[in-house]
Amino acid sequence: MKQEENKSQEEMDAMDAVHEDEGSQDEAMQEDNAGVESRDAEIERLRASSESAEKRVLQAQAEAENFRKRMRRDFEDQLRYAAVPLVNDLLQVRDNLHRAIEASGSTSESDGLREGVAMVAKQLDDTLAKYQIREIPAAGELFDPNYHEAISQIPSDEHPAGTVAHVAVTGFQMHDRVIRPSQVIVSTGPASDTPAN
């Protein structure tokens, strides 16, 4: 009987040992699973961090490229339009040459002088055109505030309402930029037949 008790005690001890062994294996497996899960989570976190950093780098590179292009365009514009103050002064000289031509009388004595001044004015116009400075068409054109500056309005039978009836000062543009708008008188259309009160 004692042997049976010893045997059953040994069996129980063996079973307890097996259960303890299984419990420690479960704990070890849980620790391994927790380790794998934390490793996977860490890998995922690092991957997301890497993707975020890559996006920031690409965005910074795009911003830097846009800044370089904008600076290059600004620099080119500064070079392209650097002569605008000089051109404005030359346009005043041109205006005076044309005023001199208009003011000169039609006498045989002044014909030679008028022709000489006209040649100088044409040479100046040709030189301006060589540097992409051209006259803004205005007479008879539809009034455009981007190119014309209205200084007055008059009724006109020759010009419909909203068109330029007279050019007081010729406007010019350099490349695509208006450097001096045309100063114009705009037509209000035909004068009405009813007398004004």
Side-chain angles (χ1 to χ4, degrees), residues 4-24:
E4 283 180 20
E5 276 181 26
N6 282 341
K7 196 176 184 185
S8 82
Q9 185 66 29
E10 286 176 12
E11 286 176 6
M12 286 181 66
D13 287 342
M15 287 182 65
D16 284 343
V18 167
H19 284 301
E20 281 179 21
D21 203 27
E22 284 177 0
S24 64

Side-chain angles (χ1 to χ4, degrees), residues 5-185:
E5 276 181 26
N6 282 341
K7 196 176 184 185
S8 82
Q9 185 66 29
E10 286 176 12
E11 286 176 6
M12 286 181 66
D13 287 342
M15 287 182 65
D16 284 343
V18 167
H19 284 301
E20 281 179 21
D21 203 27
E22 284 177 0
S24 64
Q25 284 178 356
D26 286 346
E27 286 176 12
M29 284 179 61
Q30 286 176 353
E31 286 177 10
D32 284 347
N33 287 343
V36 168
E37 287 176 8
S38 66
R39 251 184 283 129
D40 288 346
E42 181 69 15
I43 289 171
E44 197 57 42
R45 187 186 65 75
L46 290 173
R47 183 176 293 134
S49 174
S50 171
E51 288 173 0
S52 173
E54 188 175 332
K55 285 179 185 176
R56 285 195 306 269
V57 166
L58 290 174
Q59 187 177 18
Q61 286 174 339
E63 288 174 1
E65 182 62 27
N66 288 339
F67 178 75
R68 276 193 294 273
K69 286 178 182 177
R70 191 169 44 253
M71 291 303 292
R72 188 178 317 120
R73 204 170 35 245
D74 289 347
F75 179 72
E76 288 170 358
D77 278 352
Q78 285 179 352
L79 286 178
R80 192 175 205 192
Y81 298 107
V84 168
L86 173 65
V87 170
N88 279 326
D89 290 344
L90 288 175
L91 290 177
Q92 291 177 10
V93 172
R94 180 195 178 276
D95 292 342
N96 289 334
L97 287 172
H98 283 277
R99 286 185 192 110
I101 294 168
E102 290 172 8
S104 67
S106 177
T107 63
S108 59
E109 297 171 0
S110 63
D111 283 345
L113 180 61
R114 185 174 59 246
E115 287 176 19
V117 172
M119 284 189 341
V120 171
K122 180 167 179 1
Q123 183 181 14
L124 180 59
D125 285 343
D126 292 343
T127 302
L128 292 173
K130 186 167 106 175
Y131 292 96
Q132 304 299 316
I133 301 159
R134 58 190 180 282
E135 210 174 296
I136 296 172
E141 298 283 325
L142 191 63
F143 176 76
D144 183 351
N146 295 315
Y147 298 102
H148 308 134
E149 179 183 337
I151 57 174
S152 182
Q153 291 183 325
I154 59 167
S156 172
D157 293 331
E158 298 173 20
H159 301 283
T163 58
V164 175
H166 176 72
V167 179
V169 177
T170 305
F172 284 86
Q173 66 185 60
M174 182 177 197
H175 302 289
D176 296 328
R177 184 182 293 177
V178 173
I179 56 174
R180 183 173 83 177
S182 297
Q183 293 183 355
V184 298
I185 298 173

